[in-house]
Amino acid sequence: MSELATRVGRPPRRISRFLTEARLGWVDARLMVAMPGRERALRFIAVLLFCQRASYIVPALLGMSSGDTRYHSPALNTTLLVGVVGWNVLLGAFVWRRGWFSYGHVVLDVAIICGLLVVVNANIRSGYELSAANWAGKFALGSAALVGAVLSLRALLVGLGLLVLTAVVAASVQIGGLPPWESGFVNHVNSSLWFALVLHFTRRFLCAQANAVDEATQRRLAAETATAAGAARYAERLHHYRRLHDTALATLTAIARGGLDHRAEDVRRRCGREADYIRSLVTEDRAEAESTLGASLAEVVADATGLGLRVHLRSGNVPSPPPRHVVRAVCDAAREALNNVARHAGTGEAWVTVDWYDGVLGVRVVDRGVGFDTDCVTGGFGLHRSIAERMTEVGGELRLFSEPGHGTSVELLWPASSPEADE
């Protein structure tokens, strides 16, 4: 168990790389393919939003090119630009880790941009209020797009109204009246409205399509799994039928037709051998059902669904079927890992993946729930007896990685890596 505790605090290279790539997945097209469709759609929209915001930095710099002539305090103007760029970098870091914006991010962004509109307008000298020097309006377009992408339609109108009202009031105070129609200010307000609406409906459409594709994919995978299982069962039944036809059925038919004397010693021995064979077939059928990794994991996933979890099962090619006792241990450990997700993770979704890498079977259970501090792992998580000991008993091992707020990854490996490989 001391070896397990060491591994719990220090994830192996493969797990660490997987989780690192998961956080970078919004810019990694290969990893995004493995993500749920909704998450891929949201990450794509996030990239568009940050590209839009980045495009406003150059115009802001050009608006400052004339130096002291346009601003009461050029130093303040520079500080404001550095501050808003810093906020966008910080916001990007949050989204980098979470995959999408929270409502709190949107509220804070709107508040910052509204304050920026007021201060930048107050710092502009008379006559330049509607020129390119008033670069805060560009970032207001980015905030309007964010409001539209994240909030509901009703909340969108509230956030957009606040941005527009602040821009109008800030400009009117400096000009001494409403901005003239021919100044382009109305076009700016119009652009804010349409940016918000376009991003809002784009997000809704892409997420709806992504959910539909995911559901269709799950149905197709379930159908393909059922078809493959049915074909395998049919092939196995045909194999057993042929064996029975050539042995027990042939003997019984010969006895029934009088071709064999059932009282003869050699016939009795033959019947005994074939009875043992039929008995072994029954035992073999039961054992074979228990040893099928895909079918057993499908049952585990079905049980987890009964707990209220939505489990995504993705199975890769496993060239060598594991022994029956290994299948039982791996599936029981995976079941307990999913039970832990349902009890502790605070999320209704989990991912189970099966792969075969360098002769090692790996079954990974991942959630994006609350996570926990691996240094404080206790028996209450069921990790030691319910998962780790099961894997140890069959020569396998548990590898675990988790951080508060970043979910948990449980990997069940068989056969266990050699000590030299872990060093």
Side-chain angles (χ1 to χ4, degrees):
M1 282 306 149
S2 60
E3 183 181 359
L4 170 67
T6 302
R7 291 197 189 102
V8 164
R10 176 178 54 84
R13 288 185 296 272
R14 282 206 300 150
I15 298 275
S16 179
R17 185 175 67 250
F18 169 79
L19 291 174
T20 300
E21 289 178 349
R23 293 176 186 172
L24 302 179
W26 68 306
V27 294
D28 189 338
R30 293 172 300 174
L31 189 62
M32 285 180 69
V33 172
M35 294 179 178
R38 178 183 176 83
E39 183 171 346
R40 294 199 304 272
L42 293 179
R43 287 179 181 270
F44 173 71
I45 296 173
V47 171
L48 294 182
L49 289 172
F50 280 107
C51 286
Q52 177 199 16
R53 288 170 172 243
S55 71
Y56 297 145
I57 296 176
V58 172
L61 293 173
L62 293 177
M64 298 166 54
S65 60
S66 59
D68 298 343
T69 60
R70 297 188 179 189
Y71 303 100
H72 296 294
S73 173
L76 174 60
N77 189 66
T78 302
T79 301
L80 291 173
L81 180 58
V82 171
V84 76
V85 171
W87 158 243
N88 280 277
V89 171
L90 185 61
L91 182 61
F94 286 140
V95 178
W96 188 300
R97 302 183 68 179
R98 292 173 54 93
W100 188 237
F101 305 88
S102 69
Y103 285 172
H105 293 150
V106 178
V107 171
L108 188 55
D109 186 72
V110 170
I112 289 174
I113 297 303
C114 286
L116 186 70
L117 288 167
V118 172
V119 178
V120 169
N121 274 277
N123 192 42
I124 292 178
R125 294 182 183 275
S126 178
Y128 295 104
E129 296 88 355
L130 302 178
S131 69
N134 193 351
W135 52 269
K138 292 293 186 181
F139 285 94
L141 292 176
S143 189
L146 177 62
V147 165
V150 178
L151 302 183
S152 65
L153 190 58
R154 181 177 300 178
L156 176 160
L157 296 175
V158 173
L160 186 60
L162 184 60
L163 286 168
V164 171
L165 180 62
T166 304
V168 171
V169 170
S172 299
V173 169
Q174 292 302 111
I175 297 173
L178 291 175
W181 291 94
E182 66 276 9
S183 65
F185 189 85
V186 174
N187 290 335
H188 173 80
V189 173
N190 181 67
S191 298
S192 298
L193 172 63
W194 285 104
F195 275 1
L197 292 177
V198 167
L199 266 297
H200 177 77
F201 288 108
T202 298
R203 187 259 301 170
R204 290 179 57 178
F205 174 78
L206 291 180
C207 288
Q209 292 299 309
N211 290 337
V213 170
D214 279 351
E215 291 173 2
T217 301
Q218 290 297 321
R219 289 195 298 268
R220 178 180 60 81
L221 290 175
E224 289 178 355
T225 300
T227 300
R233 286 193 297 269
Y234 174 76
E236 189 67 21
R237 285 198 301 269
L238 182 61
H239 171 68
H240 290 333
Y241 170 76
R242 288 170 175 167
R243 294 173 68 180
L244 287 171
H245 178 272
D246 296 339
T247 55
L249 289 177
T251 301
L252 290 174
T253 300
I255 292 174
R257 293 178 177 177
L260 288 176
D261 183 2
H262 67 278
R263 292 169 295 184
E265 184 64 25
D266 60 334
V267 175
R268 292 174 61 188
R269 286 197 300 268
R270 178 175 175 178
C271 290
R273 288 195 304 270
E274 292 174 358
D276 290 339
Y277 169 66
I278 294 174
R279 192 176 297 109
S280 70
L281 282 183
V282 174
T283 304
E284 181 181 340
D285 283 346
R286 186 185 311 115
E288 184 67 24
E290 293 175 354
S291 68
T292 305
L293 180 62
S296 300
L297 280 176
E299 292 181 3
V300 171
V301 169
D303 292 342
T305 302
L307 299 176
L309 282 177
R310 181 185 179 187
V311 182
H312 305 270
L313 176 61
R314 292 183 174 86
S315 180
N317 181 36
V318 180
S320 302
R324 293 191 297 272
H325 67 289
V326 173
V327 171
R328 286 195 297 270
V330 169
C331 290
D332 289 343
R335 186 188 308 276
E336 178 59 22
L338 289 172
N339 289 341
N340 283 338
V341 174
R343 288 194 297 260
H344 305 296
T347 180
E349 199 166 17
W351 288 260
V352 178
T353 58
V354 183
D355 61 17
W356 184 273
Y357 182 78
D358 287 346
V360 177
L361 172 67
V363 176
R364 183 185 294 117
V365 180
V366 176
D367 69 78
R368 293 173 182 163
V370 297
F372 59 92
D373 186 352
T374 55
D375 294 331
C376 303
V377 174
T378 65
F381 283 92
L383 290 171
H384 295 298
R385 292 190 176 180
S386 296
I387 300 180
E389 288 185 0
R390 279 191 173 106
M391 296 305 300
T392 302
E393 288 169 359
V394 296
E397 64 178 315
L398 161 69
R399 288 185 174 180
L400 172 71
F401 180 76
S402 184
E403 289 182 3
H406 298 296
T408 301
S409 175
V410 174
E411 188 169 27
L412 312 171
L413 298 177
W414 180 88
S417 303
S418 64
E420 291 80 6
D422 287 335
E423 292 178 354

